[in-house]
């Protein structure tokens, strides 16, 4: 069973395929492999989709996120928590066809997905009472009858082999050995392998230090590979030993190099595995998800449902089996249902028949979909496609705008992409979970280049506008209240998402990209203001002269809030706030005149310096402040 | 020694004075016209800045403008009803400092921490805000030093001089304090009296000063 690396969206949620839909989300989950915790994967979110089950770490999401394809999962097991041990769901991988496996599956069953003929496993497991399978191709057993040395089959596990395990016969005399003999040989081979810890798979060993590395090929100085079995020095490019036929794969060579580097004991035989080889490693037995904050029952339910439905096999979701439904017409290829009997569809009769079929189909879809809300959710895609069809057929071109059509298609995907409340379990943590998911949805929505929301607004949008746009997009489903919206917006900082909430002096809340800081805005404003403004034509065609500031004095030009909004494509409120902010930092100064307030670059500093005047000290500035306060108080008294 | 009208004056300046009282405002115009510094063409200069740091700088510039202008045009007193046109306004960029703002600027300059270059002249009725002020492009102390220095240099210590003589005598034509307001001169002389360097005696009109 593979743990694959997972692609994340900018909001640090798993990026889904086109037809993949999100089913369940849960927080506070840890990963186990077999019996042991996997380091670095202990605190994260688990996302269940129709195709995969994904784990996204909280602390380092980009590095430690993995997914398991549901098609690789054979079955699941549930362990309800007890005292300190939290509830766990175990996923058992499917076995490939050419595996050798004991007919009695047990808990720590040898995962036959490990098996690849000719491959050795990357590591062995910690010393538990049942020694986990050590896949060592170089284990050999001596036939008691003829003395020929055969290889122990790679998937033979001395721990779980029982009477019914099928043992291969000896190659020379054709008689299968007794089980005991085989087990002994396998154990001997395991114990003979030296313990090593590479930087990658640390903290693991089979407890026995190196007795010698004669089982493992090592590389000698000059491009020669030493055979593990007969110690013959083979040429570097050979893959099997010339004398005895043992395999000389690169993995063995590498391992031997690592042995040379560090034969060290592991620090502790604790129940945790080393970090990096988890992803893509072949030697995983089972994967467990430990639910430390609840949600396991709902997750188990949905997981089993998803396994049953097997949505990954089809291009689109199969319709829920409806009684009396022969065929799903025209939705997608469905290799699992019988192809329709070929009908002669020539002539008017054919057209009529097709029309009738379509009608019947529509009727069944509508009928079944609207009877049951659950079924509606599942067949939402079909319903929407049908609605699209009707619209395009019947309506004239005026009544639908392209935006409406786009909205319609978007709402279909919106149902899949956004996390609705029923996807989350009940419980005290579901509130925060809802808010975190909402925050991530918002982040994705804003950074989505197809919509270009931020780009249209010049990179900065007020929170109220964003709320309106977002809810409009939801199209009446799962609208968000302003309070929830604000709470989710406040979480962006803590979740390290690429957008942030910012509050201006007057209390206006805006949303902007994380990389856009005040300094950048001020620099942009200044560079624009420094240019002298060319005379512009006003709306009625007369040339509007700018205020007759003598050019060449180096003042640049003054801008009103309206002009600034136009230039940077902000809204006027945002422009005013930005200008005020720049004025507060001292980069701009204002100029009140009859036609409004204009902002200029602050040149006062330059004048004072040029004239060599003494600037009043900080004490006098404070004095000014206190004077102003006094004045304000006095004026208030009248 | 004659008052204003004889020398060629820039038209703006005299037109601002509607029937000036002959003695209070002496407007002997210098022959060279005053060059306005660059910052008077900067439009935000005429708006009182809300940002206090910027305002501090702006007020520094105003103080500079006021003192240099008054020094150039030898204005000892400034009346808010009869302001010189170009001082607080720049017609070419259509900007003017508004009346309340002018008062704020002058108030600021009246603080001793900022140099004390302006002093309000108290009005007769208590409730009104003063409408005119002295502009000390040299403080009274500086004037006192200058006058005493001149007296010392010309060897008139011990001699008795009338106030009129000090203000407008032939000997003082080349001095900076020629044509000074009588009131201001009396202030300066009282500083000297306090220092013990002079003594005033006699009536108002025919007062005499003796320097020690």
């Amino acid at each position: 069973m593979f743990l694959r690396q997972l692609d994340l969206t900018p909001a640090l949620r798993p990026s889904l395929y086109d037809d993949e839909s999100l089913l369940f989300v849960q927080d506070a989950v840890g990963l186990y492999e077999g019996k042991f915790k996997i380091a670095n994967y202990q605190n994260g979110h688990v996302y269940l989709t129709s195709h995969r089950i994904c784990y996204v770490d909280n602390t380092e999401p980009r590095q430690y996120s993995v997914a398991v394809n549901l098609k690789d999962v054979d079955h699941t097991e549930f362990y309800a928590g007890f005292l300190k041990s939290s509830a766990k769901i175990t996923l058992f991988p499917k076995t490939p066809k050419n595996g050798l496996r004991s007919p009695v599956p047990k808990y720590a069953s040898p995962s036959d997905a490990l098996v690849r003929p000719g491959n050795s496993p990357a590591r062995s497991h910690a010393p538990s009472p049942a020694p986990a399978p050590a896949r060592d191709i170089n284990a050999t057993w001596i036939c008691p009858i003829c003395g020929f040395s055969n290889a122990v089959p790679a998937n033979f596990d001395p721990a779980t082999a029982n009477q019914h395990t099928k043992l291969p016969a000896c190659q020379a005399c054709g008689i299968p050995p007794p089980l005991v003999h085989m087990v002994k040989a396998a154990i001997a081979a395991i114990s003979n392998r030296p313990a090593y810890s590479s930087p990658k798979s640390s903290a693991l060993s089979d407890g026995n230090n190196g007795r010698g590395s004669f089982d493992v090929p090592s590389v000698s100085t000059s491009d020669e590979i030493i055979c593990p079995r007969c110690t013959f020095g083979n040429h570097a490019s050979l893959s099997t030993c010339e004398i005895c036929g043992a395999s000389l794969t690169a993995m063995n060579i590498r391992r031997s190099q690592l042995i040379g580097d560090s034969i060290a004991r592991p620090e502790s035989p604790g129940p945790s595995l080393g970090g990096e080889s988890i992803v893509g490693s072949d030697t995983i037995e089972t994967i467990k998800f430990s639910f430390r904050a609840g949600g396991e029952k709902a997750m188990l339910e949905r997981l089993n449902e998803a396994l049953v439905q097997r949505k990954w096999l089809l291009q689109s979701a199969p319709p829920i089996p409806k009684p009396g439904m022969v065929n799903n017409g025209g939705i997608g290829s469905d290799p699992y249902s019988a192809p329709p009997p070929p009908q002669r569809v020539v002539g008017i009769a054919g057209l009529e028949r097709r029309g009738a079929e379509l009608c019947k189909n529509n009727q069944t879809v509508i009928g079944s979909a609207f009877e049951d809300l659950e079924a509606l959710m599942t067949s939402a895609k079909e319903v929407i496609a049908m609605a699209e069809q009707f619209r395009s057929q019947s309506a004239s071109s005026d009544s639908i705008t392209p935006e409406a059509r786009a909205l319609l298609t978007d709402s279909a995907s919106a149902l899949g992409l956004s996390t609705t409340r029923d996807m989350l379990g009940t419980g005290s943590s579901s509130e925060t979970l809802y808010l975190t998911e909402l925050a991530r949805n918002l982040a994705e929505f804003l950074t989505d280049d197809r919509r270009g929301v931020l780009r249209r607004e010049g990179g900065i949008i007020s929170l109220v506008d964003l709320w309106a746009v977002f809810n409009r997009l939801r199209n009446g489903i799962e609208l968000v209240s302003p309070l929830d919206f604000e709470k989710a917006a406040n979480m962006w900082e803590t979740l390290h998402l690429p957008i942030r909430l910012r509050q201006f002096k007057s209390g206006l809340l805006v949303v902007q990209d994380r990389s856009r800081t005040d300094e950048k805005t001020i620099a942009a404003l200044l560079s624009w203001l420094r240019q002298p403004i060319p005379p512009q034509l006003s709306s009625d065609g007369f040339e509007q002269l700018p205020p007759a500031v003598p050019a060449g004095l180096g003042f640049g030009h003054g801008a009103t809030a309206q002009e600034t909004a136009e230039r940077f494509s902000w809204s006027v409120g945002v422009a005013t706030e930005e200008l005020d902010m720049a004025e507060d930092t001292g980069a701009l100064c204002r100029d009140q005149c009859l036609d409004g307030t204009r902002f200029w670059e602050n040149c006062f500093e330059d004048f004072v310096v040029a004239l060599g005047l003494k600037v009043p000290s900080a004490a006098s500035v404070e004095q000014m402040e206190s004077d102003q306060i006094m004045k304000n108080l006095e004026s208030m008294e009248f | 020694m004659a008052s204003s009208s004889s020398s060629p004056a820039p038209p703006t300046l005299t037109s601002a004075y509607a029937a000036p009282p002959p003695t209070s405002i002496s407007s002997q115009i210098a022959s060279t016209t005053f060059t306005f510094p660059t910052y008077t063409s900067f439009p935000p200069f005429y708006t009182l800045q809300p940002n206090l740091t910027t305002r501090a700088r702006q007020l520094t510039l105003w103080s500079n403008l006021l003192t240099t202008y008054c020094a150039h045009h030898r204005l000892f007193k400034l009346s808010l009803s009869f302001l010189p046109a170009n001082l607080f306004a720049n017609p070419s960029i259509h900007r003017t400092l508004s009346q309340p703002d002018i008062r704020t600027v002058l108030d600021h300059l009246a603080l001793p921490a900022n140099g004390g270059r302006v002093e309000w002249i108290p009005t007769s009725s208590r409730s009104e805000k003063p409408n005119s002020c002295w502009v000390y492009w040299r403080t009274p102390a500086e004037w006192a030093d200058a006058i005493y220095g001149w007296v010392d240099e010309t060897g008139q210590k011990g001699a008795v001089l009338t106030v009129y003589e000090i203000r407008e005598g032939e000997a003082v034509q080349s001095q900076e304090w020629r044509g000074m307001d009588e009131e201001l001169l009396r202030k300066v002389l009282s500083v000297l009296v306090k220092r013990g360097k002079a003594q005033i005696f006699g009536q108002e009109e025919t007062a005499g000063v003796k320097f020690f």
Side-chain angles (χ1 to χ4, degrees), chain A residues 518-565:
Chain A
D518 283 353
E519 285 84 16
K520 281 195 196 158
T521 317
I522 291 174
L525 280 171
L526 282 177
S527 67
W528 176 54
L529 287 175
R530 286 207 180 108
Q531 307 158 14
I533 192 169
Q536 294 161 8
L537 288 175
S538 66
S539 57
D540 54 357
F542 292 103
E543 189 169 294
Q544 191 117 13
L545 293 171
V549 178
L553 284 178
F555 298 151
H557 72 277
T560 59
Q562 176 75 28
E563 285 169 16
T564 316

Side-chain angles (χ1 to χ4, degrees), chain A residues 63-400:
Chain A
Q63 227 178 334
Y64 298 125
S65 303
V66 287
V68 176
N69 282 325
L70 287 182
K71 66 178 181 237
D72 293 335
V73 174
D74 184 40
H75 65 279
T76 62
E77 203 179 88
F78 180 70
Y79 165 71
F82 176 70
L83 292 182
K84 278 214 171 170
S85 154
S86 29
K88 296 182 177 50
I89 291 184
T90 313
L91 303 176
F92 290 87
K94 281 202 182 134
T95 61
K97 302 276 190 332
N98 54 350
L100 180 74
R101 105 177 115 129
S102 318
V104 179
K106 286 226 210 126
Y107 171 74
S109 65
S111 68
D112 298 339
L114 306 173
V115 176
R116 293 267 170 78
N119 250 4
S120 308
R123 29 162 248 274
S124 65
H125 294 257
S128 48
R135 300 291 164 241
D136 189 359
I137 193 86
N138 303 303
T140 57
W141 59 276
I142 313 293
C143 172
I145 298 174
C146 65
F148 187 73
S149 111
N150 303 283
V152 173
N155 53 2
F156 178 74
D157 179 19
T160 59
N162 53 20
Q163 257 63 20
H164 306 288
T165 313
K166 187 170 174 315
L167 299 168
C170 166
Q171 281 171 358
C173 59
I175 300 170
L179 176 67
V180 174
H181 197 77
M182 183 78 101
V183 168
K184 271 195 210 153
I187 291 176
I190 291 169
S191 60
N192 279 341
R193 269 187 44 215
Y196 63 89
S197 62
S198 68
K200 298 207 174 208
S201 57
S202 60
L204 287 185
S205 78
D206 48 10
N208 305 309
N209 285 343
R211 187 111 48 96
S213 53
F214 64 87
D215 264 341
V216 180
S218 57
V219 181
S220 66
T221 46
S222 62
D223 283 340
E224 260 189 0
I225 304 182
I226 311 289
C227 169
R229 215 188 284 173
C230 64
T231 71
F232 178 70
N234 295 286
H235 190 266
S237 49
L238 287 176
S239 67
T240 53
C241 175
E242 283 182 83
I243 306 294
C244 67
S247 149
L248 303 172
T249 53
M251 218 186 302
N252 295 341
I253 310 299
R254 220 185 313 133
R255 251 189 320 138
S256 67
Q257 281 174 331
L258 295 171
I259 291 165
D261 294 340
S262 54
I263 297 188
R265 300 192 58 138
E267 270 96 28
S268 70
S272 67
L273 306 179
E276 288 224 14
S277 56
I278 271 296
V279 179
S281 145
D282 284 351
T283 60
I284 296 179
E285 304 177 349
T286 60
I287 291 289
K288 272 205 276 199
F289 290 87
S290 160
F291 292 85
R292 307 208 169 103
E296 64 274 6
K297 292 231 170 40
M299 172 66 95
L300 185 67
E301 231 174 77
R302 306 273 174 115
L303 181 57
N304 286 332
E305 253 175 46
L307 282 173
V308 160
Q309 286 189 350
R310 296 204 202 159
K311 292 198 180 166
W312 56 86
L313 289 174
L314 309 169
Q315 303 238 324
S316 64
I320 291 184
K322 301 176 182 63
M325 179 138 171
V326 177
N327 180 23
N328 45 346
I331 292 195
S333 70
D334 189 355
Y336 278 73
S337 65
Q343 298 181 356
R344 308 282 293 172
V345 285
V346 292
I348 305 288
L351 286 171
E352 275 180 0
R353 198 180 300 137
R354 209 186 300 162
E357 257 178 42
L358 204 60
C359 230
K360 195 168 55 157
N361 188 32
N362 290 343
Q363 211 164 3
T364 40
V365 167
I366 290 176
S368 62
F370 289 111
E371 270 169 18
D372 183 4
L373 204 58
E374 293 271 336
L376 176 62
M377 290 300 284
T378 331
S379 42
K381 275 201 185 121
E382 294 169 24
V383 173
I384 286 169
M386 208 165 55
E388 261 290 301
Q389 212 180 356
F390 285 149
R391 264 184 211 235
S392 57
Q393 281 171 4
S394 58
S396 61
S397 58
D398 294 330
S399 57
I400 320 174

Side-chain angles (χ1 to χ4, degrees), chain A residues 7 80 112 244 416 491 571 594:
Chain A
D7 283 330
D112 298 339
C244 67
M491 295 186 99
S571 68
L594 284 174

Side-chain angles (χ1 to χ4, degrees), chain A residues 617-630, chain B residues 52 108 111 113-114:
Chain A
S617 60
S620 65
V621 174
E622 280 169 28
Q623 179 73 26
M624 270 200 289
E625 282 174 12
S626 60
D627 287 346
Q628 193 143 17
I629 294 171
M630 287 300 297
Chain B
L52 289 173
H108 172 85
L111 297 173
N114 302 320

Side-chain angles (χ1 to χ4, degrees), chain A residues 33-50:
Chain A
E33 193 254 312
K35 270 195 192 169
F36 313 110
K37 288 187 191 177
I38 309 176
N40 301 322
Y41 289 82
Q42 284 308 306
N43 178 21
H45 286 69
V46 69
Y47 291 82
L48 175 68
T49 72
S50 52

Side-chain angles (χ1 to χ4, degrees), chain A residues 360-615:
Chain A
K360 195 168 55 157
N361 188 32
N362 290 343
Q363 211 164 3
T364 40
V365 167
I366 290 176
S368 62
F370 289 111
E371 270 169 18
D372 183 4
L373 204 58
E374 293 271 336
L376 176 62
M377 290 300 284
T378 331
S379 42
K381 275 201 185 121
E382 294 169 24
V383 173
I384 286 169
M386 208 165 55
E388 261 290 301
Q389 212 180 356
F390 285 149
R391 264 184 211 235
S392 57
Q393 281 171 4
S394 58
S396 61
S397 58
D398 294 330
S399 57
I400 320 174
T401 57
E403 278 109 358
R405 226 174 263 142
L407 264 180
L408 214 49
T409 45
D410 279 338
S411 59
S413 50
L415 284 175
L417 282 175
S418 55
T419 317
T420 56
R421 268 199 194 264
D422 66 326
M423 283 186 206
L424 313 170
T426 53
S428 58
S429 66
S430 70
E431 276 297 320
T432 33
L433 189 55
Y434 174 66
L435 290 173
T436 45
E437 287 305 305
L438 182 61
R440 292 186 204 272
N441 285 341
L442 282 172
E444 270 166 30
F445 171 66
L446 277 174
T447 52
D448 187 1
D449 284 329
R450 280 178 302 157
R451 298 191 213 278
V453 172
L454 272 185
R455 203 180 44 235
R456 250 203 317 266
E457 299 284 327
I460 178 166
I461 181 174
S462 75
L463 196 64
V464 183
D465 288 341
L466 179 62
W467 177 74
V469 171
F470 191 68
N471 273 333
R472 223 175 280 150
L473 196 71
R474 294 270 196 151
N475 223 12
I477 309 166
E478 279 280 331
L479 296 175
V480 183
S481 74
L483 191 62
D484 282 342
F485 201 80
E486 192 178 339
K487 279 191 210 161
N490 283 327
M491 295 186 99
W492 283 328
E493 284 289 328
T494 48
L495 293 175
H496 305 292
L497 292 172
I499 48 175
R500 66 181 181 107
L501 188 66
R502 180 171 151 215
Q503 183 159 28
F504 281 112
K505 200 173 56 169
S506 66
L508 176 68
L509 289 166
V510 292
V511 174
Q512 64 186 49
D513 204 33
R514 184 185 274 266
S515 56
R516 174 190 287 263
T517 57
D518 283 353
E519 285 84 16
K520 281 195 196 158
T521 317
I522 291 174
L525 280 171
L526 282 177
S527 67
W528 176 54
L529 287 175
R530 286 207 180 108
Q531 307 158 14
I533 192 169
Q536 294 161 8
L537 288 175
S538 66
S539 57
D540 54 357
F542 292 103
E543 189 169 294
Q544 191 117 13
L545 293 171
V549 178
L553 284 178
F555 298 151
H557 72 277
T560 59
Q562 176 75 28
E563 285 169 16
T564 316
E566 269 173 38
R567 164 80 167 80
F568 290 97
S569 54
W570 295 332
S571 68
V572 178
V574 167
T576 320
E577 294 293 337
E578 293 281 11
L579 289 170
D580 281 341
M581 182 273 296
E583 189 188 11
D584 280 340
T585 57
L588 299 185
C589 53
R590 71 167 63 203
D591 164 37
Q592 206 103 34
C593 52
L594 284 174
D595 50 344
T597 311
R598 288 178 174 272
F599 286 86
W600 297 72
E601 187 194 350
N602 188 357
C603 299
F604 284 116
E605 175 106 32
D606 305 330
F607 294 136
V608 168
V609 167
L611 290 171
L613 295 173
K614 182 173 81 83
V615 181

